[in-house]
Amino acid sequence: MDISAVNALPYEDFVNIFGNVVEKCPLITAAVWTRRPFTSLNALEAAIHEFIDALPESGKEGILRCHPDLAGKHLHSGALTRESQEEQTRAGMDVLSSAEASQMTRLNEEYKGRFGFPFVICARMNDKVTILRELSERCQNERAAERARGIGEVKKICRLRLQGLVLSDATNKL
C-alpha cells in the first residue's frame, strides 16, 4: 500500500488497519487521521509520535499500561493481539526455559511494582537473552527515565508495525 492509498482510506478503514500500531490505542490512529494527507510513511509516523509526545505524563503511562507482560500468561493463552503474539514469538518469549520463565515473571512483577506500568521493549529488535538483561537493568532506573525509555520503545514498535502494513519488504528497519 502506498501513501496515496493510505490517504484515500475512509476513517473506519484507516482505524481498522492502523489502530494497533500503538498497542491497543486506536484512539491515537483515529486522532491522526484528521492530519491527512500525509506526504510519506515518515510523515504518518511523525504525526503519531507528535500525538504521543503532546500527551501529559499520565497519558504516556496509559499507553505503556496497554502493553502486555512479555512472556506473561496472555502469551500462552492466546489473549495477545496478533501483533504482540508474533513479536513475542519471534523474540523467543514462547520458548523460555523454566528458569528463564521464573526470572521473567519475577522481574516483570518487580518492574510493575516499581513503576506502575509494564516493561516495554521492541521485541522484534531483541532476543530473549537481551530482553531479560534489559528488564533486569531497567528495574534500576528512575520512574521518569523509564517512562521516557518505554515511550521510545513504543515508537520503535510503532515504526516497525507501520512499515509492516505499508511496505511490502519491511523487516526490522529503523
Side-chain angles (χ1 to χ4, degrees):
M1 171 181 340
D2 65 16
I3 200 65
S4 62
V6 170
N7 286 325
L9 289 170
Y11 171 81
E12 293 80 12
D13 293 344
F14 186 86
V15 173
N16 285 336
I17 292 168
F18 296 103
N20 204 45
V21 295
V22 176
E23 184 78 11
K24 295 183 181 175
C25 293
L27 176 64
I28 295 171
T29 307
V32 302
W33 180 83
T34 61
R35 296 189 183 181
R36 294 171 311 126
F38 302 104
T39 57
S40 64
L41 177 61
N42 287 339
L44 171 56
E45 179 185 357
I48 293 169
H49 292 186
E50 288 166 12
F51 182 92
I52 292 169
D53 291 342
L55 291 171
E57 299 308 312
S58 60
K60 292 173 185 169
E61 287 186 13
I63 288 173
L64 296 173
R65 285 188 195 98
C66 289
H67 283 262
D69 286 347
L70 287 169
K73 62 183 177 185
H74 296 302
L75 175 63
H76 299 290
S77 70
L80 294 178
T81 63
R82 178 184 50 78
E83 296 90 346
S84 284
Q85 184 78 36
E86 290 172 3
E87 291 158 356
Q88 288 199 36
T89 299
R90 183 183 290 182
M93 296 289 98
D94 60 332
V95 292
L96 297 177
S97 69
S98 177
E100 290 168 331
S102 293
Q103 181 183 18
M104 182 67 74
T105 299
R106 181 183 56 76
L107 288 170
N108 273 330
E109 292 305 315
E110 179 183 335
Y111 185 97
K112 283 191 297 190
R114 179 168 169 83
F115 300 113
F117 47 82
F119 172 74
V120 177
I121 191 168
C122 183
R124 283 176 59 183
M125 297 181 71
N126 293 282
D127 60 20
K128 65 182 184 176
V129 172
T130 305
I131 290 169
L132 276 164
R133 184 184 70 244
E134 284 287 316
L135 176 53
S136 179
E137 290 173 3
R138 286 172 53 188
C139 279
Q140 307 311 309
N141 288 345
E142 294 300 319
R143 183 183 182 95
E146 194 51 33
R147 182 177 45 241
R149 178 75 182 269
I151 290 298
E153 294 296 317
V154 165
K155 290 176 180 179
K156 290 177 188 177
I157 295 164
C158 174
R159 172 178 272 187
L160 292 173
R161 288 181 179 184
L162 279 171
Q163 287 178 345
L165 291 166
V166 178
L167 305 175
S168 59
D169 64 343
T171 53
N172 286 347
K173 301 177 195 169
L174 279 181

